[in-house]
Amino acid sequence: MALTGVLRPGHIQIRVLDLDEGVHHYRDVLGLEETGRDASGRVYLRGWDERDHHSIILRQADRAGMDFFGFKVDSEATLAKLERDVQAWGLKTERIPAGDLLETGERVRFEIPSGHQIELYATKTFAGCDRGEKDPSHYSPKMDKGIAPMRFDHALLYGPNVDKVLDLFTNVLGFHLAEYVTLPDTDIKGALWLCCSNKAHDIAFVIHPEPGKLHHVSFYMESVERVFRAADIMAANDIKVDIGPTRHGITRGGTIYAWDPSGNRFETYSGGNSSYPDLPPIAWTWEGLGEGGGLDVAHRKLHETFLTVVT
Ligand code: M3P
Ligand code: FE
């Protein structure tokens, strides 16, 4: 197996201001499948191409944002090794018991220098999916329900100490840097697209004074055409759109940024570069992010909300 260590984004717990409204958005409009609710009232969901029990967890709270982001690793031995490595790098870690999240084994959680709670886990129940496993026709109506993303794909997080985050992810957690943006007139990397696989990215960071902020949670669509279909569904459901449909120059993914009812930004995303650890990262300047079309190829500008609206 070529892909080892940290395998993929596994889950993200999102805070919503009203649970029913949040469930309506993520289950009925986005079209994710609800796979469980736990004793504390959290709601578990996933996309139609996911085989793990869940990827999205909704928790009702007084403020929007992200509680934690979890990565699946390849074994309990890797989990224990990365736990030691993260400690040796200088972070405190916490073991969260199996079963705290439904159908999920022990998790190792730590706060990274940007102020985000990141966790690793090795075990989550494979719950199968209708497509291709139970239904030999390879079709399930879930593939057309609502906006119908295939999976939770990545998140973009805002916070300080992005240089330290880069060191931790590349030198401890085994990620590679796929693309980055330098701050105006410097060679300081102010935005990072990091990858543990060969997708365009698995997690991204933008430098920001306030720690622990969520810019967006991204959902992978089967095609860019499906991103346009998502725009129709957003319009029909009065979802407030931030940017798009357009294409990002950075990652080259087709995209819409829009807001859930609590003000958390989400993205419907498709296509994009593939990346490999031996390739030098793609370097963008600050001007490239804006006028160069890094953020928005069609409009070639740095939208004001991109740097200012986070939860
Ligand atoms: C992404 C993302 C930007 C390119 C972004 C690509 C923001 O998938 O994180 O939204 O320039
Ligand atoms: Fe994104």
Side-chain angles (χ1 to χ4, degrees), residues 128-145:
C129 67
D130 287 359
R131 179 203 52 71
E133 281 183 287
K134 293 185 194 147
D135 175 2
S137 75
H138 287 230
Y139 175 76
S140 158
K142 285 176 195 164
M143 294 159 69
D144 288 316
K145 187 186 162 218

Side-chain angles (χ1 to χ4, degrees), residues 153-156 193 201 204 215-219 248 250-251 255-257 266-269 306:
D153 189 77
H154 65 265
L156 172 58
W193 282 261
H201 62 312
H215 184 276
H216 69 265
V217 177
S218 187
F219 295 93
H248 294 302
I250 300 171
T251 77
T255 179
I256 301 172
Y257 283 162
F266 70 99
E267 175 178 42
T268 52
Y269 177 85
F306 181 72

Side-chain angles (χ1 to χ4, degrees), residues 41-61:
R42 294 180 295 188
V43 179
Y44 296 65
L45 304 133
R46 64 176 187 167
W48 59 258
D49 195 39
E50 297 188 59
R51 288 130 187 258
D52 297 325
H53 179 264
H54 61 267
S55 58
I56 302 294
I57 307 133
L58 303 179
R59 181 175 77 84
Q60 180 166 303

